[in-house]
Amino acid sequence: MSDSTEHLVKSFDTDLKRLRDMLTEMGGIVESQVALAAEAIMNRDSNAATRAVEEDPKVDLLEREVEQFVIRMLALRQPMAGDLRRIVAGLKITGDLERIGDYAANVAKRSIVLGQYTLPYSLSGLAHMAHMVQEQLKAIIDAIGSNDTEKAIEVWRSDRVVDDIYNALFRELITYMMEDPRNITPCTHLLFIAKNLERIGDHATNIAETIYYAVEGEVLPDTRPKGDSSAYAVIRAKE
């Protein structure tokens, strides 16, 4: 390998590392947003909700920076095979992270409205779901930084559990709405919050699939395997 070729390879590796660093920085912000949004719901903390919303412009800015950087890499480097997959994967991942940030901000905004109501029921099911989604997000951001396909597969498998919790919450909240019309407004906000959390899990799963394809050059199956949801299958209608 000539000195000039070696220099180009090192320079390209530096670009790839910078792209990965930008994605993990973006991931760290959205992870913080989701944590703040969860805190806002469970603790009726309007300050945490405000902070979650205020972080959103940072995520949007980073998304634009990643897009510009990827376009520059494609134009100047003309990558092929695995390198091309990694660069295009970076572009897809940044889109998923941006959407996660949007959903977290939406959860935070609804938590502020929810704070106006006295809730006569437990939020333990929602807390379960928020915790699961936070675990998914933390794992997938770690996987982005290390190209860890095993961790990506774990996140991919765990999405079924989040779906199961969401379905149970949906049935529970509909029951409360039917029992007392005064519950309709707060339960509607809770339904939207639960749906936003479920969508965050979906985007974490999308990132898992993208990481796997970028590293392995193969796609995961279309149908996700059923996870072990035994710990979360039963959420009591009333506590």
Side-chain angles (χ1 to χ4, degrees), residues 49-69:
T50 301
R51 285 160 56 203
V53 175
E54 288 175 347
E55 291 290 288
D56 210 39
K58 297 179 186 177
V59 177
D60 294 340
L61 178 61
L62 269 170
E63 182 190 27
R64 291 192 292 272
E65 289 179 1
V66 170
E67 287 175 351
Q68 292 168 3
F69 188 63

Side-chain angles (χ1 to χ4, degrees), residues 187-229:
C187 283
T188 299
H189 285 294
L190 286 169
L191 280 172
F192 277 110
I193 287 171
K195 186 60 181 177
N196 285 334
L197 290 173
E198 188 265 340
R199 292 298 295 144
I200 290 172
D202 284 345
H203 281 284
T205 304
N206 289 347
I207 294 172
E209 292 173 349
T210 301
I211 291 171
Y212 188 86
Y213 177 72
V215 176
E216 303 292 341
E218 299 176 355
V219 296
L220 287 165
D222 290 335
T223 304
R224 292 192 294 272
K226 293 184 179 181
D228 178 11
S229 57

